[in-house]
């Protein structure tokens, strides 16, 4: 079977500070992401602490761009910092409309994350993808 056209993919990684964090807010974000993302071809992962969201969004350029713009306007996020915005050739979380990992997975402070380079932020998510059920090269 031949692929008719390769779709260029985009990764956006950002960090934000929750304006209010509790499990209801987190569940709402995850429920809406898992409901809406498949229709637009977006997958990703959300890492969270009480004082931060660290998220990787991946998918078609326009869909990821529009979703990131929606997040910028979302009152649940404050102090948003984009760590990475790159064209890529593969997904890290292809089987997840939105995977989530709590602080038990990644014990990094907000200041450590905001000081990460674009490549370091991607490496964090790549490591997490490889530890889970992803089948990567």
């Amino acid at each position: 079977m031949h692929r008719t056209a390769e779709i260029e993919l985009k990764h956006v990684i950002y960090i934000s500070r929750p304006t209010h964090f509790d499990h209801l807010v987190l569940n709402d974000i995850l429920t809406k992401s898992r409901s809406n993302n498949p229709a637009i071809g977006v997958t990703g992962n959300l890492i969270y602490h009480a004082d931060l969201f660290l998220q990787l969004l991946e998918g078609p350029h326009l869909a990821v761009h529009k979703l990131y713009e929606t997040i910028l306007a979302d009152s649940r996020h404050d102090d948003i910092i984009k760590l990475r915005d790159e064209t890529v050739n593969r997904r890290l979380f292809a089987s997840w409309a939105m995977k989530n990992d709590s602080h038990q997975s990644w014990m990094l402070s907000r200041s450590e994350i905001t000081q990460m380079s674009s490549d370091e932020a991607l490496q964090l998510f790549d490591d997490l993808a490889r530890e889970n059920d992803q089948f990567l090269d």
Side-chain angles (χ1 to χ4, degrees):
M1 185 169 143
H2 296 288
R3 292 184 182 176
T4 55
E6 290 288 325
I7 297 174
E8 273 197 348
L9 299 172
K10 177 178 186 164
H11 276 169
V12 167
I13 300 174
Y14 73 89
I15 183 173
S16 69
R17 184 183 313 277
T19 54
H20 172 76
F21 182 85
D22 63 27
H23 288 286
L24 293 175
V25 169
L26 179 63
N27 287 339
D28 185 56
I29 290 171
L30 292 171
T31 298
K32 287 181 179 173
S33 296
R34 291 171 178 162
S35 174
N36 297 333
N37 288 355
I40 60 172
V42 172
T43 56
N45 191 354
L46 174 66
I47 297 172
Y48 59 90
H49 293 244
D51 67 337
L52 71 84
F53 291 126
L54 174 62
Q55 187 167 39
L56 174 133
L57 303 170
E58 56 188 3
H61 278 258
L62 186 57
V64 171
H65 174 76
K66 286 182 177 181
L67 183 53
Y68 183 71
E69 292 292 319
T70 300
I71 290 165
L72 288 174
D74 189 329
S75 64
R76 296 174 295 192
H77 299 270
D78 199 13
D79 300 330
I80 298 173
I81 300 168
K82 188 186 290 184
L83 301 175
R84 185 175 185 89
D85 187 340
E86 299 288 332
T87 298
V88 297
N89 59 9
R90 67 178 169 91
R91 293 177 189 262
L92 295 179
F93 298 95
S95 62
W96 293 91
M98 188 52 60
K99 184 171 179 3
N100 66 298
D101 284 286
S102 68
H103 64 280
Q104 288 93 0
S105 296
W106 298 100
M107 297 300 288
L108 297 171
S109 71
R110 181 177 174 81
S111 63
E112 288 172 312
I113 293 171
T114 58
Q115 293 175 23
M116 285 182 168
S117 71
S118 173
D119 289 339
E120 289 170 331
L122 180 62
Q123 187 63 52
L124 184 140
F125 282 105
D126 189 70
D127 290 347
L128 185 58
R130 290 176 187 278
E131 288 179 7
N132 288 274
D133 65 343
Q134 301 301 300
F135 300 96
L136 302 174
D137 310 303

